[in-house]
Amino acid sequence: MVGNNAIRGSRVGSGPMGESERGDAAPRTVVSYWCARGHETRPSFARDGEVDVPDTWDCPRCGLPAGTDRENPPQAPRNEPYKTHLAYVKERRSDQDGATLLEEALRAMRERGVGGGS
């Protein structure tokens, strides 16, 4: 036997809805942004005076920063390569400092009888 449920098979919000039921749409401003690869992005912002339009926007296609000036888009950020701990130490110490520290450490080990070298 089939039930007498009038909304059987319906989903919430599936009925016809027009502007009269949702209310009026807020006035919008569409801004064009261009990245260094020439991609254009056009997000829209509310025109209520409280929302500041950002100077840059991330390009959804390539991830580069995009700006409002088509002829001069922002440059891609420079990624620093990964540095090892040794690379950071070499930035702070000269080779002579390293040799001096190594000699001090070896001397301390020999005095304790560790390592067995002469």
Side-chain angles (χ1 to χ4, degrees):
M1 176 168 183
V2 177
N4 292 331
N5 190 346
I7 62 170
R8 185 169 186 251
S10 296
R11 293 188 312 263
V12 173
S14 66
M17 287 184 63
E19 288 297 319
S20 62
E21 293 183 29
R22 288 188 292 189
D24 294 330
R28 310 294 283 173
T29 299
V30 177
V31 180
S32 291
Y33 291 92
W34 288 273
C35 71
R37 293 186 179 160
H39 302 140
E40 181 183 14
T41 304
R42 298 183 48 143
S44 63
F45 300 94
R47 248 191 295 164
D48 63 1
E50 294 178 21
V51 177
D52 293 328
V53 176
D55 294 331
T56 60
W57 193 263
D58 290 339
C59 177
R61 290 182 64 190
C62 64
L64 293 176
T68 56
D69 185 358
R70 184 178 197 164
E71 303 302 319
N72 297 309
Q75 296 300 315
R78 186 169 171 255
N79 292 330
E80 294 291 327
Y82 174 77
K83 288 185 184 179
T84 63
H85 176 71
L86 181 59
Y88 284 111
V89 170
K90 286 184 175 184
E91 285 180 0
R92 295 190 312 265
R93 308 256 189 218
S94 68
D95 288 341
Q96 181 157 355
D97 290 341
T100 303
L101 289 172
L102 177 62
E103 189 56 43
E104 289 174 7
L106 289 173
R107 187 177 332 110
M109 287 176 61
R110 288 181 191 124
E111 288 173 2
R112 289 187 310 223
V114 179
S118 54

